[in-house]
Amino acid sequence: MTVEGSDRYMREVGAADPLERMISALRMGDGTDAGIANGIEMAAQRWRSLPRAQVAGRARSGRTTVAKALGLQPGAETAPVDEPGFPDPVLDADILIYVLASTPSPGDRRILGSLPPERTLVVLNKADAIGTGWADAVAAAEQYSRAFGLPTFPIVGTLAARTVAGALREPDLELLRRHARNGSLSAVSAEAFVSPVAGPDTEERAQLLERWDLYGLACVLAALEREPGLSPQTVLQILHTVSGIEPVAKLLGLRYQQAISRRAGVFVDELTRLAARAVPQGASRARTLITEYLDTDEAKWLGLCGGLADPEVSHLAAGYPRLEPENADDALARAIRWRAVVASDMSPAARRAAVRVHNGYVRVWERMSSVGL
């Protein structure tokens, strides 16, 4: 369950958006309240805007290719890091994807050591060129993951990007079927793949090599040897899988959800500060209206999501299959557990996050059990 998910237990049935109601009520107040309404509206826009991702790395590491393979917006890649004569780019996005294409340099190590773990993932690009097989690339990625404390994945970015942007044509697949059936084609090197010894279709094989790379074609040949009747769509899916991009995309999706949840927590923090600063005077109702909103189901849910995304306590929710409890008993069990967390020895920031998680699950329990109706 994400911040933007549909939670039937945490929505006010038949009611207008409680945030919009609060903003409208503030706009009808005096000048001070109207100014606070503007501030809340700007904070809400920041919360609701899409998280931003950056793809960073050294020159020629494959930043643009990785961005395309992950379907990111154009311009997600930064300027090269550790470039002589140039400052490093500012890495301040909600999600950071760092691209390695070889053994990390001292500059890579310096930058990776400074990045926040909860917002960063690393891809070891050009994995087909590491060692003598995929297992070597996996071992290298695991080594870097332990060294930097960051999740690291081996990928072949060029192949992944081509599976997103292109399709394998039936004539090309038939050519590969024929060679797989005859055992006449070798993919041990580019030279062997286009060698005239394999037959007169040298030009067609050269074009295939340019489009799909040797690693991808070697995987297709191996698959066709076992199952000659594979369709173009199935082969394309095989290529997408062997590129290694799927686990990266899965974690990237999770990072997006976490970024949205963190923004929800920041939004609740901003409202809490505004309520504390809104000293009641004259006809001003700002503190009352903001406090009332912070007690709504929506605000409790935002606080819960933001609390669970806080890096100081997020590990305590690692076992939850989803944010939303299965039933009222599950909600109550979670609330009791987080009450114990609140009572433990922790930093003020961690305790604030845990309190919001506890209060959120109490409210969910009330809605699921009808106690709060």
Side-chain angles (χ1 to χ4, degrees), residues 39-50 263 266 270:
I40 293 174
E41 197 162 50
M42 292 176 62
Q45 288 174 357
R46 289 192 294 272
W47 157 45
R48 289 169 171 165
S49 62
L50 288 175
R263 286 188 176 189
V266 171
E270 291 189 66

Side-chain angles (χ1 to χ4, degrees), residues 245-268:
I245 201 67
E246 289 184 343
V248 182
K250 182 177 180 180
L251 181 57
L252 180 62
L254 177 61
R255 289 284 193 259
Y256 267 103
Q257 294 176 12
Q258 292 170 338
I260 291 171
S261 293
R262 283 196 299 272
R263 286 188 176 189
V266 171
F267 178 59
V268 172

Side-chain angles (χ1 to χ4, degrees), residues 43-317:
Q45 288 174 357
R46 289 192 294 272
W47 157 45
R48 289 169 171 165
S49 62
L50 288 175
R52 186 168 61 95
Q54 287 178 305
V55 182
R58 292 170 61 83
R60 295 175 293 282
S61 61
R63 304 182 314 282
T64 301
T65 301
V66 170
K68 289 180 180 177
L70 291 171
L72 300 177
Q73 293 292 328
E77 64 275 13
T78 70
V81 303
D82 197 31
E83 189 77 353
F86 294 90
D88 287 330
V90 177
L91 303 180
D92 58 356
D94 301 284
I95 304 159
L96 301 171
I97 303 158
Y98 197 92
V99 184
L100 295 171
S102 59
T103 302
S105 69
D108 289 322
R109 295 179 180 278
R110 171 176 54 80
I111 293 171
L112 285 169
S114 68
L115 299 180
E118 70 276 7
R119 293 194 284 126
T120 307
L121 60 95
V122 181
V123 294
L124 181 56
N125 195 20
K126 307 178 184 180
D128 54 322
I130 297 174
T132 59
W134 191 258
D136 291 333
V138 171
E142 291 175 348
Q143 176 187 347
Y144 301 150
S145 182
R146 291 191 297 270
F148 302 120
L150 300 169
T152 306
F153 302 90
I155 70 165
V156 182
T158 53
L159 181 58
R162 284 165 181 161
T163 63
V164 171
L168 196 67
R169 302 179 302 180
E170 181 60 39
D172 294 337
L173 192 55
E174 184 54 40
L175 181 152
L176 293 171
R177 283 197 192 100
R178 184 173 68 253
H179 283 288
R181 185 168 54 248
N182 298 336
S184 56
L185 189 57
S186 171
V188 296
S189 68
E191 293 76 12
F193 187 84
V194 299
S195 172
V197 175
D201 50 8
T202 305
E203 184 177 347
E204 290 85 349
R205 282 180 277 134
Q207 292 173 357
L208 269 175
L209 187 61
E210 183 177 351
R211 285 198 298 272
W212 294 104
D213 287 346
L214 186 65
Y215 171 73
L217 292 170
C219 292
V220 173
L221 283 171
L224 291 174
E225 287 175 1
R226 293 171 175 80
E227 189 64 48
L230 294 173
S231 67
Q233 293 78 12
T234 302
V235 172
L236 190 68
Q237 181 57 49
I238 290 172
L239 289 170
H240 189 71
T241 300
V242 300
S243 73
I245 201 67
E246 289 184 343
V248 182
K250 182 177 180 180
L251 181 57
L252 180 62
L254 177 61
R255 289 284 193 259
Y256 267 103
Q257 294 176 12
Q258 292 170 338
I260 291 171
S261 293
R262 283 196 299 272
R263 286 188 176 189
V266 171
F267 178 59
V268 172
D269 284 340
E270 291 189 66
L271 290 180
T272 302
R273 284 193 292 269
L274 283 172
R277 294 170 182 169
V279 180
Q281 54 183 348
S284 174
R285 299 180 58 216
R287 175 174 289 183
T288 298
L289 291 170
I290 297 173
T291 302
E292 288 176 353
Y293 171 76
L294 288 172
D295 192 48
T296 63
D297 292 348
E298 177 180 85
K300 293 293 185 184
W301 182 253
L302 295 180
L304 185 153
C305 293
L308 287 176
D310 190 292
E312 293 200 52
V313 299
S314 59
H315 62 284
L316 298 174

